[in-house]
Amino acid sequence: MERIGLTVKSRSETGKCPAGRLRRAGRVPAVLYGKEMKVSLPLSLDNKELEKILHTAAGGNVLVDLNVEGENKTHTAMFKDIMRHPLKGTIQHVDLVEILMNKKIVVEIPVHVIGKAAGIAFGGIIQQEARTIKIECLPAEIPASVDADVTPLGVGQALHVRDIKLPEGVRVIDELSMTLVSVVAPTMEVAPKTGEEVQAELAKSFEVKEEDKGKEGKEEEKGKGKEKK
């Protein structure tokens, strides 16, 4: 698992206005939480450095060594929540959680589909059912991702959680029967009907109804004839 150092600043002011000033100055308000911490720690992070960290292969699962200016202590943490602006996409706020390297944690890692399924040669289509799986392990053993090899899959076959290989010390939390990837048969697309085809069907339907009415009329006449006798 990738581990990156980041110098951060503590902040005494909290609230909407101070947070806005930080963002305009190119910094992101953040809060560090932890079971071993008596109180949460308000911080500010450099926005550019933060974006670089989040775009590494580990993504949100990267281990960050937070070096707080003015303190001699380093906090090892992971991202718990990243709030972005709904329109601009810029980071508005970050929650981090302090972790202990000797205690297991639960995280989600991405599933990468590799290989070419055998069923593709027969018209099959790859359908990824799950893009992440939940695992438990020590922080230093978190894999960046897990590979789902679809090479042997034919049409109608699937790859489940129980079929993937994980490094030693990593345990899957999700159900072993959960489907990750499947190869499905192609669906037949029905071409839209032309105006002439619709009119022909309506005319045919009208003819059938008229024919049914004629039969009903003849049966009624026969019934009346029997009553007269």
Side-chain angles (χ1 to χ4, degrees):
M1 170 53 62
E2 193 166 358
R3 193 166 178 174
I4 298 175
L6 179 65
T7 300
V8 300
K9 295 180 180 180
S10 60
R11 57 188 176 99
S12 56
E13 292 184 308
T14 58
K16 187 175 181 180
C17 291
R21 287 195 294 269
L22 281 174
R23 295 187 191 104
R24 288 190 292 274
R27 302 192 67 80
V28 177
V31 178
L32 175 65
Y33 302 91
K35 291 183 179 180
E36 304 296 322
M37 297 172 60
K38 294 181 180 180
V39 293
S40 59
L41 182 61
L43 302 169
S44 74
L45 288 61
D46 182 87
N47 183 63
K48 291 182 179 179
E49 291 298 321
L50 179 58
E51 288 285 8
K52 286 180 183 178
I53 291 173
L54 293 175
H55 283 83
T56 60
N61 285 334
V62 64
L63 298 178
V64 185
D65 289 324
L66 301 173
N67 303 305
V68 184
E69 286 187 359
E71 291 187 11
N72 294 323
K73 185 180 178 181
T74 298
H75 302 272
T76 301
M78 292 184 68
F79 295 103
K80 183 180 181 182
D81 186 51
I82 301 168
M83 186 177 72
R84 290 183 178 272
H85 191 281
L87 298 177
K88 298 178 182 179
T90 53
I91 301 175
Q92 300 294 291
H93 189 275
V94 171
D95 284 340
L96 298 114
V97 58
E98 187 176 43
I99 60 171
L100 300 177
M101 298 303 291
N102 61 347
K103 287 191 176 182
K104 292 184 177 182
I105 58 175
V106 175
V107 296
E108 287 189 0
I109 59 173
V111 176
H112 288 169
V113 177
I114 62 171
K116 183 178 180 180
I120 292 179
F122 300 94
I125 299 172
I126 294 290
Q127 188 167 297
Q128 188 168 357
E129 308 289 349
R131 299 193 176 276
T132 62
I133 60 169
K134 193 176 292 184
I135 62 167
E136 181 187 53
C137 62
L138 291 171
E141 297 175 349
I142 301 173
S145 62
V146 61
D147 291 335
D149 189 358
V150 298
T151 304
L153 297 184
V155 177
Q157 295 183 323
L159 196 69
H160 303 88
V161 170
R162 61 174 174 267
D163 300 318
I164 62 174
K165 294 181 180 180
L166 289 170
E168 188 176 349
V170 179
R171 184 174 72 91
V172 176
I173 300 298
D174 288 316
E175 292 290 335
L176 297 179
S177 59
M178 186 176 80
T179 302
L180 297 177
V181 190
S182 59
V183 180
V184 298
T187 55
M188 296 294 291
E189 292 187 4
V190 179
K193 295 179 180 179
T194 63
E196 293 179 355
E197 289 175 332
V198 172
Q199 289 179 359
E201 287 186 1
L202 289 174
K204 187 176 181 181
S205 175
F206 181 76
E207 290 175 1
V208 171
K209 288 181 180 179
E210 289 296 320
E211 186 178 339
D212 290 341
K213 286 182 180 179
K215 289 181 180 179
E216 289 176 1
K218 289 180 180 179
E219 289 178 357
E220 287 180 2
E221 289 179 1
K222 288 181 181 179
K224 289 179 180 179
K226 289 180 180 180
E227 288 177 1
K228 289 179 180 180
K229 291 179 181 180

mmCIF file of all heavy atoms in Angstrom, residues 104-107 109 111 132-137 143 146 160-167 169-178 180:
data_model
loop_
_atom_site.group_PDB
_atom_site.id
_atom_site.type_symbol
_atom_site.label_atom_id
_atom_site.label_comp_id
_atom_site.label_asym_id
_atom_site.label_seq_id
_atom_site.Cartn_x
_atom_site.Cartn_y
_atom_site.Cartn_z
ATOM 1 N N LYS A 104 -6.196 -4.271 12.300
ATOM 2 C CA LYS A 104 -6.855 -4.478 11.012
ATOM 3 C C LYS A 104 -8.003 -3.487 10.822
ATOM 4 O O LYS A 104 -8.663 -3.090 11.782
ATOM 5 C CB LYS A 104 -7.383 -5.908 10.900
ATOM 6 C CG LYS A 104 -6.287 -6.958 10.825
ATOM 7 C CD LYS A 104 -6.861 -8.349 10.623
ATOM 8 C CE LYS A 104 -5.746 -9.386 10.471
ATOM 9 N NZ LYS A 104 -6.286 -10.741 10.228
ATOM 10 N N ILE A 105 -8.221 -3.119 9.564
ATOM 11 C CA ILE A 105 -9.307 -2.206 9.223
ATOM 12 C C ILE A 105 -10.088 -2.769 8.036
ATOM 13 O O ILE A 105 -9.599 -3.642 7.312
ATOM 14 C CB ILE A 105 -8.780 -0.795 8.872
ATOM 15 C CG1 ILE A 105 -7.789 -0.871 7.701
ATOM 16 C CG2 ILE A 105 -8.158 -0.136 10.077
ATOM 17 C CD1 ILE A 105 -7.321 0.487 7.216
ATOM 18 N N VAL A 106 -11.294 -2.269 7.849
ATOM 19 C CA VAL A 106 -12.150 -2.689 6.731
ATOM 20 C C VAL A 106 -12.204 -1.567 5.705
ATOM 21 O O VAL A 106 -12.515 -0.420 6.044
ATOM 22 C CB VAL A 106 -13.574 -3.031 7.218
ATOM 23 C CG1 VAL A 106 -14.479 -3.354 6.030
ATOM 24 C CG2 VAL A 106 -13.537 -4.203 8.189
ATOM 25 N N VAL A 107 -11.880 -1.901 4.453
ATOM 26 C CA VAL A 107 -11.904 -0.913 3.368
ATOM 27 C C VAL A 107 -12.492 -1.551 2.111
ATOM 28 O O VAL A 107 -12.636 -2.775 2.032
ATOM 29 C CB VAL A 107 -10.487 -0.377 3.042
ATOM 30 C CG1 VAL A 107 -9.908 0.373 4.220
ATOM 31 C CG2 VAL A 107 -9.565 -1.511 2.610
ATOM 32 N N ILE A 109 -11.916 -1.964 -2.035
ATOM 33 C CA ILE A 109 -10.905 -1.822 -3.084
ATOM 34 C C ILE A 109 -11.563 -2.068 -4.442
ATOM 35 O O ILE A 109 -12.528 -2.831 -4.541
ATOM 36 C CB ILE A 109 -9.717 -2.788 -2.876
ATOM 37 C CG1 ILE A 109 -10.195 -4.242 -2.871
ATOM 38 C CG2 ILE A 109 -8.975 -2.458 -1.591
ATOM 39 C CD1 ILE A 109 -9.059 -5.256 -2.841
ATOM 40 N N VAL A 111 -12.350 -3.406 -8.266
ATOM 41 C CA VAL A 111 -12.217 -4.659 -9.015
ATOM 42 C C VAL A 111 -11.870 -4.313 -10.460
ATOM 43 O O VAL A 111 -12.617 -3.588 -11.121
ATOM 44 C CB VAL A 111 -13.528 -5.475 -8.976
ATOM 45 C CG1 VAL A 111 -13.401 -6.730 -9.836
ATOM 46 C CG2 VAL A 111 -13.885 -5.842 -7.543
ATOM 47 N N THR A 132 -16.402 -2.790 -6.730
ATOM 48 C CA THR A 132 -15.553 -2.817 -5.540
ATOM 49 C C THR A 132 -15.912 -4.021 -4.682
ATOM 50 O O THR A 132 -17.025 -4.561 -4.785
ATOM 51 C CB THR A 132 -15.718 -1.544 -4.683
ATOM 52 O OG1 THR A 132 -17.077 -1.468 -4.217
ATOM 53 C CG2 THR A 132 -15.363 -0.293 -5.466
ATOM 54 N N ILE A 133 -14.976 -4.441 -3.840
ATOM 55 C CA ILE A 133 -15.267 -5.461 -2.833
ATOM 56 C C ILE A 133 -14.742 -4.963 -1.492
ATOM 57 O O ILE A 133 -13.805 -4.161 -1.430
ATOM 58 C CB ILE A 133 -14.635 -6.830 -3.168
ATOM 59 C CG1 ILE A 133 -13.110 -6.717 -3.265
ATOM 60 C CG2 ILE A 133 -15.223 -7.420 -4.420
ATOM 61 C CD1 ILE A 133 -12.419 -8.070 -3.329
ATOM 62 N N LYS A 134 -15.357 -5.452 -0.431
ATOM 63 C CA LYS A 134 -14.982 -5.031 0.912
ATOM 64 C C LYS A 134 -14.052 -6.077 1.524
ATOM 65 O O LYS A 134 -14.349 -7.272 1.501
ATOM 66 C CB LYS A 134 -16.234 -4.865 1.768
ATOM 67 C CG LYS A 134 -16.012 -4.145 3.085
ATOM 68 C CD LYS A 134 -17.329 -3.942 3.820
ATOM 69 C CE LYS A 134 -18.224 -2.967 3.084
ATOM 70 N NZ LYS A 134 -19.474 -2.686 3.842
ATOM 71 N N ILE A 135 -12.917 -5.602 2.067
ATOM 72 C CA ILE A 135 -11.929 -6.511 2.643
ATOM 73 C C ILE A 135 -11.510 -6.041 4.035
ATOM 74 O O ILE A 135 -11.784 -4.909 4.428
ATOM 75 C CB ILE A 135 -10.673 -6.617 1.754
ATOM 76 C CG1 ILE A 135 -10.004 -5.235 1.639
ATOM 77 C CG2 ILE A 135 -11.014 -7.174 0.379
ATOM 78 C CD1 ILE A 135 -8.617 -5.270 1.048
ATOM 79 N N GLU A 136 -10.824 -6.936 4.747
ATOM 80 C CA GLU A 136 -10.272 -6.602 6.059
ATOM 81 C C GLU A 136 -8.818 -7.046 6.099
ATOM 82 O O GLU A 136 -8.494 -8.172 5.721
ATOM 83 C CB GLU A 136 -11.051 -7.300 7.175
ATOM 84 C CG GLU A 136 -10.524 -6.965 8.568
ATOM 85 C CD GLU A 136 -11.191 -7.795 9.653
ATOM 86 O OE1 GLU A 136 -11.187 -9.038 9.531
ATOM 87 O OE2 GLU A 136 -11.709 -7.196 10.615
ATOM 88 N N CYS A 137 -7.934 -6.152 6.556
ATOM 89 C CA CYS A 137 -6.513 -6.484 6.663
ATOM 90 C C CYS A 137 -5.788 -5.375 7.429
ATOM 91 O O CYS A 137 -6.392 -4.367 7.804
ATOM 92 C CB CYS A 137 -5.891 -6.665 5.279
ATOM 93 S SG CYS A 137 -5.950 -5.176 4.257
ATOM 94 N N PRO A 143 -4.331 -4.002 -0.640
ATOM 95 C CA PRO A 143 -3.974 -4.005 -2.064
ATOM 96 C C PRO A 143 -4.627 -2.828 -2.783
ATOM 97 O O PRO A 143 -5.719 -2.388 -2.410
ATOM 98 C CB PRO A 143 -4.527 -5.342 -2.565
ATOM 99 C CG PRO A 143 -5.597 -5.705 -1.601
ATOM 100 C CD PRO A 143 -5.251 -5.090 -0.289
ATOM 101 N N VAL A 146 -8.006 -5.468 -7.009
ATOM 102 C CA VAL A 146 -8.028 -6.914 -7.193
ATOM 103 C C VAL A 146 -8.398 -7.197 -8.642
ATOM 104 O O VAL A 146 -9.247 -6.516 -9.222
ATOM 105 C CB VAL A 146 -9.029 -7.590 -6.227
ATOM 106 C CG1 VAL A 146 -10.446 -7.098 -6.468
ATOM 107 C CG2 VAL A 146 -8.971 -9.103 -6.354
ATOM 108 N N HIS A 160 -17.335 -15.063 -9.419
ATOM 109 C CA HIS A 160 -17.829 -14.651 -8.111
ATOM 110 C C HIS A 160 -16.672 -14.270 -7.183
ATOM 111 O O HIS A 160 -15.505 -14.494 -7.511
ATOM 112 C CB HIS A 160 -18.658 -15.773 -7.477
ATOM 113 C CG HIS A 160 -19.812 -16.215 -8.316
ATOM 114 N ND1 HIS A 160 -19.689 -17.197 -9.282
ATOM 115 C CD2 HIS A 160 -21.104 -15.791 -8.364
ATOM 116 C CE1 HIS A 160 -20.862 -17.377 -9.873
ATOM 117 N NE2 HIS A 160 -21.735 -16.533 -9.343
ATOM 118 N N VAL A 161 -17.017 -13.728 -6.034
ATOM 119 C CA VAL A 161 -15.998 -13.322 -5.064
ATOM 120 C C VAL A 161 -15.111 -14.504 -4.689
ATOM 121 O O VAL A 161 -13.900 -14.370 -4.540
ATOM 122 C CB VAL A 161 -16.664 -12.727 -3.802
ATOM 123 C CG1 VAL A 161 -15.645 -12.534 -2.688
ATOM 124 C CG2 VAL A 161 -17.324 -11.391 -4.129
ATOM 125 N N ARG A 162 -15.709 -15.689 -4.555
ATOM 126 C CA ARG A 162 -14.935 -16.873 -4.162
ATOM 127 C C ARG A 162 -13.902 -17.287 -5.211
ATOM 128 O O ARG A 162 -12.995 -18.072 -4.916
ATOM 129 C CB ARG A 162 -15.874 -18.049 -3.898
ATOM 130 C CG ARG A 162 -16.700 -18.475 -5.101
ATOM 131 C CD ARG A 162 -17.500 -19.739 -4.819
ATOM 132 N NE ARG A 162 -18.387 -20.059 -5.925
ATOM 133 C CZ ARG A 162 -19.652 -19.654 -5.996
ATOM 134 N NH1 ARG A 162 -20.160 -18.928 -5.018
ATOM 135 N NH2 ARG A 162 -20.402 -19.967 -7.037
ATOM 136 N N ASP A 163 -14.019 -16.768 -6.437
ATOM 137 C CA ASP A 163 -13.122 -17.171 -7.520
ATOM 138 C C ASP A 163 -11.855 -16.324 -7.609
ATOM 139 O O ASP A 163 -10.934 -16.681 -8.343
ATOM 140 C CB ASP A 163 -13.858 -17.094 -8.867
ATOM 141 C CG ASP A 163 -15.081 -17.995 -8.904
ATOM 142 O OD1 ASP A 163 -14.980 -19.136 -8.421
ATOM 143 O OD2 ASP A 163 -16.132 -17.551 -9.412
ATOM 144 N N ILE A 164 -11.810 -15.205 -6.908
ATOM 145 C CA ILE A 164 -10.651 -14.317 -7.029
ATOM 146 C C ILE A 164 -9.582 -14.666 -5.993
ATOM 147 O O ILE A 164 -9.870 -15.248 -4.949
ATOM 148 C CB ILE A 164 -11.055 -12.835 -6.885
ATOM 149 C CG1 ILE A 164 -11.645 -12.581 -5.505
ATOM 150 C CG2 ILE A 164 -12.025 -12.427 -7.970
ATOM 151 C CD1 ILE A 164 -11.931 -11.125 -5.234
ATOM 152 N N LYS A 165 -8.354 -14.296 -6.312
ATOM 153 C CA LYS A 165 -7.228 -14.560 -5.417
ATOM 154 C C LYS A 165 -6.784 -13.262 -4.757
ATOM 155 O O LYS A 165 -6.554 -12.260 -5.424
ATOM 156 C CB LYS A 165 -6.063 -15.174 -6.203
ATOM 157 C CG LYS A 165 -6.363 -16.558 -6.758
ATOM 158 C CD LYS A 165 -5.164 -17.110 -7.505
ATOM 159 C CE LYS A 165 -5.451 -18.494 -8.064
ATOM 160 N NZ LYS A 165 -4.286 -19.047 -8.808
ATOM 161 N N LEU A 166 -6.658 -13.307 -3.435
ATOM 162 C CA LEU A 166 -6.221 -12.142 -2.677
ATOM 163 C C LEU A 166 -4.901 -12.451 -1.977
ATOM 164 O O LEU A 166 -4.601 -13.612 -1.692
ATOM 165 C CB LEU A 166 -7.275 -11.758 -1.637
ATOM 166 C CG LEU A 166 -8.567 -11.139 -2.180
ATOM 167 C CD1 LEU A 166 -9.605 -11.043 -1.081
ATOM 168 C CD2 LEU A 166 -8.301 -9.769 -2.779
ATOM 169 N N PRO A 167 -4.105 -11.429 -1.694
ATOM 170 C CA PRO A 167 -2.831 -11.653 -1.004
ATOM 171 C C PRO A 167 -3.050 -12.266 0.380
ATOM 172 O O PRO A 167 -4.128 -12.142 0.970
ATOM 173 C CB PRO A 167 -2.245 -10.238 -0.894
ATOM 174 C CG PRO A 167 -2.942 -9.438 -1.943
ATOM 175 C CD PRO A 167 -4.313 -10.011 -2.047
ATOM 176 N N GLY A 169 -3.216 -12.706 4.202
ATOM 177 C CA GLY A 169 -3.512 -11.740 5.254
ATOM 178 C C GLY A 169 -4.695 -10.844 4.947
ATOM 179 O O GLY A 169 -5.105 -10.042 5.790
ATOM 180 N N VAL A 170 -5.253 -10.987 3.739
ATOM 181 C CA VAL A 170 -6.405 -10.172 3.334
ATOM 182 C C VAL A 170 -7.654 -11.047 3.323
ATOM 183 O O VAL A 170 -7.683 -12.087 2.670
ATOM 184 C CB VAL A 170 -6.193 -9.550 1.937
ATOM 185 C CG1 VAL A 170 -7.411 -8.731 1.533
ATOM 186 C CG2 VAL A 170 -4.940 -8.685 1.929
ATOM 187 N N ARG A 171 -8.682 -10.629 4.048
ATOM 188 C CA ARG A 171 -9.922 -11.407 4.148
ATOM 189 C C ARG A 171 -11.083 -10.643 3.519
ATOM 190 O O ARG A 171 -11.236 -9.440 3.727
ATOM 191 C CB ARG A 171 -10.247 -11.697 5.621
ATOM 192 C CG ARG A 171 -11.473 -12.576 5.840
ATOM 193 C CD ARG A 171 -11.628 -12.922 7.312
ATOM 194 N NE ARG A 171 -12.065 -11.781 8.091
ATOM 195 C CZ ARG A 171 -13.349 -11.479 8.325
ATOM 196 N NH1 ARG A 171 -14.309 -12.232 7.816
ATOM 197 N NH2 ARG A 171 -13.669 -10.429 9.064
ATOM 198 N N VAL A 172 -11.893 -11.364 2.743
ATOM 199 C CA VAL A 172 -13.056 -10.747 2.101
ATOM 200 C C VAL A 172 -14.206 -10.660 3.098
ATOM 201 O O VAL A 172 -14.510 -11.625 3.800
ATOM 202 C CB VAL A 172 -13.499 -11.557 0.865
ATOM 203 C CG1 VAL A 172 -14.765 -10.953 0.267
ATOM 204 C CG2 VAL A 172 -12.402 -11.569 -0.178
ATOM 205 N N ILE A 173 -14.860 -9.507 3.134
ATOM 206 C CA ILE A 173 -16.018 -9.304 4.000
ATOM 207 C C ILE A 173 -17.318 -9.601 3.255
ATOM 208 O O ILE A 173 -18.286 -10.088 3.829
ATOM 209 C CB ILE A 173 -16.041 -7.857 4.541
ATOM 210 C CG1 ILE A 173 -14.771 -7.567 5.341
ATOM 211 C CG2 ILE A 173 -17.272 -7.611 5.398
ATOM 212 C CD1 ILE A 173 -14.575 -8.430 6.565
ATOM 213 N N ASP A 174 -17.342 -9.324 1.959
ATOM 214 C CA ASP A 174 -18.550 -9.557 1.158
ATOM 215 C C ASP A 174 -18.872 -11.049 1.066
ATOM 216 O O ASP A 174 -18.013 -11.908 1.311
ATOM 217 C CB ASP A 174 -18.365 -8.996 -0.258
ATOM 218 C CG ASP A 174 -18.381 -7.480 -0.286
ATOM 219 O OD1 ASP A 174 -19.246 -6.888 0.380
ATOM 220 O OD2 ASP A 174 -17.517 -6.895 -0.962
ATOM 221 N N GLU A 175 -20.121 -11.347 0.679
ATOM 222 C CA GLU A 175 -20.543 -12.734 0.490
ATOM 223 C C GLU A 175 -19.724 -13.379 -0.625
ATOM 224 O O GLU A 175 -19.522 -12.781 -1.687
ATOM 225 C CB GLU A 175 -22.030 -12.793 0.125
ATOM 226 C CG GLU A 175 -22.972 -12.374 1.243
ATOM 227 C CD GLU A 175 -22.995 -13.381 2.383
ATOM 228 O OE1 GLU A 175 -22.693 -14.558 2.128
ATOM 229 O OE2 GLU A 175 -23.316 -12.977 3.513
ATOM 230 N N LEU A 176 -19.265 -14.614 -0.392
ATOM 231 C CA LEU A 176 -18.450 -15.308 -1.387
ATOM 232 C C LEU A 176 -19.235 -15.600 -2.661
ATOM 233 O O LEU A 176 -18.653 -15.772 -3.733
ATOM 234 C CB LEU A 176 -17.907 -16.618 -0.802
ATOM 235 C CG LEU A 176 -16.959 -16.477 0.397
ATOM 236 C CD1 LEU A 176 -16.515 -17.853 0.877
ATOM 237 C CD2 LEU A 176 -15.741 -15.633 0.029
ATOM 238 N N SER A 177 -20.561 -15.639 -2.556
ATOM 239 C CA SER A 177 -21.398 -15.935 -3.723
ATOM 240 C C SER A 177 -21.716 -14.691 -4.554
ATOM 241 O O SER A 177 -22.357 -14.794 -5.604
ATOM 242 C CB SER A 177 -22.710 -16.583 -3.271
ATOM 243 O OG SER A 177 -23.417 -15.712 -2.394
ATOM 244 N N MET A 178 -21.265 -13.519 -4.105
ATOM 245 C CA MET A 178 -21.568 -12.279 -4.828
ATOM 246 C C MET A 178 -20.923 -12.290 -6.213
ATOM 247 O O MET A 178 -19.745 -12.601 -6.362
ATOM 248 C CB MET A 178 -21.068 -11.069 -4.037
ATOM 249 C CG MET A 178 -21.478 -9.731 -4.650
ATOM 250 S SD MET A 178 -20.963 -8.311 -3.641
ATOM 251 C CE MET A 178 -19.232 -8.175 -4.106
ATOM 252 N N LEU A 180 -19.256 -10.857 -9.491
ATOM 253 C CA LEU A 180 -18.419 -9.719 -9.860
ATOM 254 C C LEU A 180 -18.569 -9.378 -11.341
ATOM 255 O O LEU A 180 -18.796 -8.228 -11.704
ATOM 256 C CB LEU A 180 -16.948 -10.023 -9.552
ATOM 257 C CG LEU A 180 -16.593 -10.267 -8.085
ATOM 258 C CD1 LEU A 180 -15.126 -10.637 -7.958
ATOM 259 C CD2 LEU A 180 -16.904 -9.040 -7.241
#
